[in-house]
Amino acid sequence: MTELPISADLIAERNSAHAEALEDDYAALGRKLSRAGIDIDAIKERVAGFSVAVPSWGAGRGGTRFAKFPIAGEPTNIHEKLEDCAVVQQLSRVTPRVSPHFPWDKVSDYKALREEAASLGLGFDAVNSNTFQDQQGQAHTYANGSLAAQDSATRQQAVDHNIECIEIGVQLGSTDLTVWVGDGTNFPGQQDLGRSLDRYLEAASKIYAALPDDWRMLLEHKMFEPAFYSTVISDWGSSILAAQELGPKAKCLVDLGHHAPNVNIEQIVARLHRFGKLGGFHFNDSKYGDDDLDSGSINPHQLFLVFNELVEAELNPRDGFNPSYMIDQSHNVTDPIESMLSSAETITQCFAKAQLVNREALHEAQASNDTMMAFQALRRAYNVDVAPILAKARLEAGGAIDVLEAYRLSQYRSRKAQERKAVGLGAGIV
Ligand code: LRH
Ligand code: MN
């Protein structure tokens, strides 16, 4: 294992400064939970087993169509992105995998990249294809779509790219391919809404046929953007029908930002699970569109309710319960490492709170139409401050009790600002 990016002495010194307060908080919470018949150490073990992948593209500053404002010392290639993701894992101990995106993370030697990541304590999660941008020298433009394009050569080009991503993923040790396509229209009549889906399914079935036995294809739906009148895979309905059409290795990925405001996303989770098609998540938050804000920063209660459905799903498995948990955010105004540390904490908090729900009381209240006590079963769990449990699990796993304090005291970013070349001004997501 390479020497990790943050000094272990610094982490140890700060942890010893916080240890007594943490023990006190943990003991107090332990007494509170045991009065409710809950063993705090059992919850801590559940938390210790939880993890969420970070997006390679989340290590750099993100932007909008208007502008992107880089920060000094931000990563300029996958090697520097892995180093930054290793900082998040070293301090949080809940983000041991990186989800890469191609061709943004393209290198010549993926075996070496896998070893490099492993030396930083990291593995790879789902690989993401990209047929929503044209690359230099590309034969066929994706301006009129990719997997759903009218032009069969363009569709085949998109299929070939996805198959190349699978081949790369096999070398990286991944077992999932995430397929999001922005294909759609901006004008009524621009494309036939039925035949567009048929072309998508025909092309996607060729990608499906190339999946190794132990792989899954995760279909990511999105209501709009970059298309603003229709999108081929616009909602969970289109996604689940496409996944059922493709076969058992095709599942649905829920990006929390890809729905109309106020859509009941936790019910979509329950529905996808019911039909054995819940494949994974892109966690983020939003107030208006696909804002890609930090998870739980706008609506932490919704994130809790999603995890509440995931606990129920795990208790009632359908076709196996193995959703991939990944963060997908655009860090436009914060230090990306701080946002990933904060988001990993919030996601893990919602997972932990969902473990605290008294399922027996909830199900009894539901069975007897005792609406208030059913709601209270969820709300009482949501109101518990689980921070001591997360910090204890982190400490025992070698992480930092106060992740942001340790990160800032390490002066990691200012050190990288000395080492790394400056990122140019620009616009867009990366
Ligand atoms: C599309 C999306 C998709 C990624 C991209 C970076 O909005 O959520 O998951 O490929 O963001
Ligand atoms: Mn996404």
Side-chain angles (χ1 to χ4, degrees):
M1 182 95 127
T2 310
E3 204 215 320
L4 292 177
I6 305 294
S7 129
D9 296 345
L10 168 77
I11 295 172
E13 186 269 324
R14 297 314 307 152
N15 281 349
S16 55
H18 296 298
E20 193 183 336
L22 173 57
E23 282 314 316
D24 188 43
D25 293 346
Y26 190 81
L29 180 57
R31 289 191 295 276
K32 173 186 169 76
L33 292 178
S34 68
R35 287 195 295 274
I38 298 171
D39 169 11
I40 191 172
D41 290 337
I43 304 296
K44 182 187 58 158
E45 286 320 304
R46 297 275 297 149
V47 166
F50 178 80
S51 63
V52 58
V54 288
S56 61
W57 61 95
R61 267 282 177 91
T64 70
R65 59 184 169 164
F66 298 105
K68 187 178 98 151
F69 300 100
I71 56 170
E74 73 168 87
T76 62
N77 57 48
I78 183 61
H79 308 289
E80 294 174 351
K81 290 175 182 178
L82 287 179
E83 204 183 356
D84 292 5
C85 292
V87 170
V88 179
Q89 168 57 6
Q90 184 185 7
L91 298 175
S92 74
R93 299 293 164 162
V94 290
T95 61
R97 295 177 313 284
V98 175
S99 183
H101 217 299
F102 298 101
W104 295 339
D105 298 327
K106 212 166 189 141
V107 295
S108 55
D109 184 341
Y110 291 104
K111 185 170 172 305
L113 189 68
R114 182 176 184 174
E115 287 156 7
E116 179 185 338
S119 73
L120 288 165
L122 298 170
F124 288 99
D125 204 300
V127 294
N128 296 267
S129 60
N130 176 343
T131 59
F132 51 87
Q133 295 172 321
D134 286 347
Q135 307 304 322
Q136 289 303 329
Q138 188 175 297
H140 307 283
T141 178
Y142 292 132
N144 299 306
S146 62
L147 295 178
Q150 278 283 1
D151 174 54
S152 59
T154 303
R155 295 199 301 275
Q156 190 56 48
Q157 176 183 272
V159 167
D160 295 344
H161 166 66
N162 277 277
I163 293 175
E164 185 195 359
C165 289
I166 294 171
E167 289 157 358
I168 292 170
V170 168
Q171 298 172 70
L172 294 176
S174 301
T175 57
D176 285 333
L177 168 71
T178 298
V179 181
W180 169 68
V181 294
D183 295 21
T185 66
N186 278 10
F187 290 82
Q190 180 181 343
Q191 288 296 335
D192 180 275
L193 301 176
R195 284 190 283 280
S196 299
L197 180 61
D198 291 338
R199 292 191 296 270
Y200 169 91
L201 289 170
E202 178 260 338
S205 64
K206 292 180 179 170
I207 301 170
Y208 186 92
L211 289 172
D213 293 349
D214 61 344
W215 271 61
R216 301 180 306 174
M217 187 172 168
L218 306 179
L219 309 183
E220 183 176 1
H221 61 271
K222 182 173 181 178
M223 186 172 70
F224 76 99
E225 188 206 39
F228 295 101
Y229 169 67
S230 73
T231 292
V232 173
I233 302 294
S234 58
D235 56 24
W236 75 275
S238 305
S239 185
I240 199 170
L241 292 171
Q244 287 170 335
E245 184 91 358
L246 289 167
K249 289 190 275 187
K251 304 277 186 181
C252 304
L253 182 142
V254 179
D255 183 311
L256 299 192
H258 289 185
H259 306 86
N262 307 323
V263 159
N264 187 324
I265 297 174
E266 56 271 24
Q267 181 164 271
I268 292 174
V269 172
R271 293 288 175 276
L272 291 172
H273 173 68
R274 167 64 184 75
F275 296 96
K277 284 298 183 183
L278 181 62
F281 291 85
H282 276 179
F283 292 122
N284 50 56
D285 212 336
S286 51
K287 194 166 178 58
Y288 305 104
D290 185 20
D291 310 342
D292 280 340
L293 300 173
D294 288 11
S295 299
S297 61
I298 304 294
N299 188 350
H301 190 239
Q302 173 180 262
L303 189 57
F304 162 74
L305 293 175
V306 165
F307 274 101
N308 175 56
E309 288 307 324
L310 290 166
V311 173
E312 288 288 345
E314 191 166 10
L315 294 170
N316 307 288
R318 302 261 179 174
D319 185 24
F321 176 80
N322 176 24
S324 275
Y325 297 141
M326 294 169 276
I327 290 172
D328 176 6
Q329 295 169 187
S330 183
H331 304 125
N332 301 355
V333 295
T334 56
D335 178 317
I337 288 177
E338 294 192 350
S339 272
M340 293 198 279
L341 286 168
S342 165
S343 302
E345 173 83 2
T346 303
I347 292 164
T348 311
Q349 282 187 355
C350 290
F351 169 83
K353 288 171 185 272
Q355 310 303 318
L356 298 178
V357 173
N358 180 332
R359 301 273 150 202
E360 201 183 329
L362 172 66
H363 298 159
E364 271 168 24
Q366 289 167 340
S368 60
N369 293 313
D370 184 342
T371 302
M372 180 45 68
M373 280 308 128
F375 171 68
Q376 288 301 328
L378 296 188
R379 180 46 56 93
R380 289 173 182 170
Y382 180 68
N383 286 343
V384 175
D385 174 4
V386 294
I389 299 175
L390 274 64
K392 192 84 180 280
R394 220 171 20 247
L395 175 65
E396 291 172 357
I401 291 174
D402 184 332
V403 293
L404 290 175
E405 179 200 57
Y407 173 66
R408 290 196 170 188
L409 288 175
S410 77
Q411 299 188 327
Y412 176 84
R413 186 62 73 191
S414 52
R415 277 192 280 132
K416 294 302 153 186
Q418 307 306 318
E419 294 170 17
R420 294 174 177 173
K421 68 180 193 314
V423 170
L425 290 178
I429 188 166
V430 289

